[in-house]
Amino acid sequence: METSDCINTRATVREYDTKEISDDIIKDLIAAATRAPSSGNVQDWEFVIVKTPEGKKALASAAFEQSFIERSPVVVVACANLEASARAYGERGKSLYSIQNVSAAVENMLLAAWDKGIGGCWVGAFSEDAVRDAVVMPTETRPLALITLGYPANRPPASRREPVEDVIHWETF
Ligand SMILES: Cc1cc2nc3c(=O)[nH]c(=O)nc-3n(C[C@H](O)[C@H](O)[C@H](O)COP(=O)(O)O)c2cc1C
């Protein structure tokens, strides 16, 4: 798919076909995530792949019972390795760059998935402690996003955007 088509047609998908995503494809998606830029190339990201019904149930519960999470074939917990973030850039690395780095990786993952006919949803509403417990995370890591993935049950249209003219500022705000 053309990059511009991939960007312009991508849409959040919350309902999935039962078809499995192979581990090779999951690895390809994580590889695409790791091609994202990161501050000083610190690559302070970690990804936990959850496929078991119990694991997905725990994540749905951590995400305030967003039940589509449980019905998704795969959930990726995208985490920041804060030790690595701080080592490179101190407090700014830990509190800001880590979020930007992992977010760039997540968007890469979603676009790479879309290119392969796989849909996903970026889930940000969750209890960090509950996600930590669910996937047994070390203390120096922070869960930043849950990404559900699966072959779409149907293909939703791309959602509306505000006109570019409303958000662009030339030279000064
Ligand atoms: C930081 C962030 C947090 C989000 N959290 C949730 C969420 O908790 N649950 C959900 O169903 N969708 C969530 N979404 C998906 C958005 O609702 C969706 O991206 C938005 O409505 C635009 O739709 P589109 O992705 O189809 O363009 C989140 C997206 C982002 C970027």
Side-chain angles (χ1 to χ4, degrees):
M1 195 188 292
E2 282 289 326
T3 306
S4 59
D5 288 340
C6 193
I7 290 170
N8 288 320
T9 63
R10 186 210 56 82
T12 287
V13 173
R14 298 183 180 85
E15 297 302 327
Y16 306 100
D17 199 287
T18 50
K19 185 178 164 187
E20 272 187 33
I21 304 178
S22 71
D23 285 353
D24 281 347
I25 288 182
I26 293 171
K27 283 185 201 162
D28 287 348
L29 299 183
I30 300 303
T34 67
R35 292 308 311 170
S38 63
S39 48
N41 202 19
V42 63
Q43 303 171 60
D44 51 347
W45 38 55
E46 309 269 352
F47 304 93
V48 185
I49 313 301
V50 179
K51 298 196 287 183
T52 63
E54 316 80 69
K56 291 184 289 187
K57 190 175 167 56
L59 291 175
S61 160
F64 314 115
E65 305 301 344
Q66 297 191 68
S67 57
F68 69 91
I69 295 172
E70 213 174 327
R71 295 192 301 272
S72 311
V74 176
V75 186
V76 179
V77 183
C79 313
N81 178 337
L82 299 180
E83 224 168 56
S85 322
R87 203 180 311 128
Y89 291 106
E91 184 52 37
R92 190 166 175 83
K94 196 170 161 180
S95 64
L96 178 64
Y97 296 165
S98 65
I99 297 172
Q100 296 180 336
N101 296 341
V102 173
S103 296
V106 167
E107 180 64 0
N108 259 21
M109 190 193 315
L110 286 173
L111 288 174
W114 194 251
D115 185 53
K116 293 178 186 298
I118 294 168
C121 181
W122 181 327
V123 175
F126 55 82
S127 150
E128 292 190 18
D129 285 342
V131 169
R132 275 176 200 289
D133 286 350
V135 298
V136 197
M137 287 177 60
T139 47
E140 73 276 10
T141 54
R142 180 181 183 195
L144 291 178
L146 309 180
I147 311 302
T148 60
L149 293 169
Y151 291 94
N154 45 54
R155 194 176 154 143
S159 62
R160 201 189 144 273
R161 292 296 184 266
E162 299 300 331
V164 172
E165 292 71 31
D166 287 6
V167 295
I168 193 167
H169 308 274
W170 299 96
E171 312 298 344
T172 57
F173 199 91

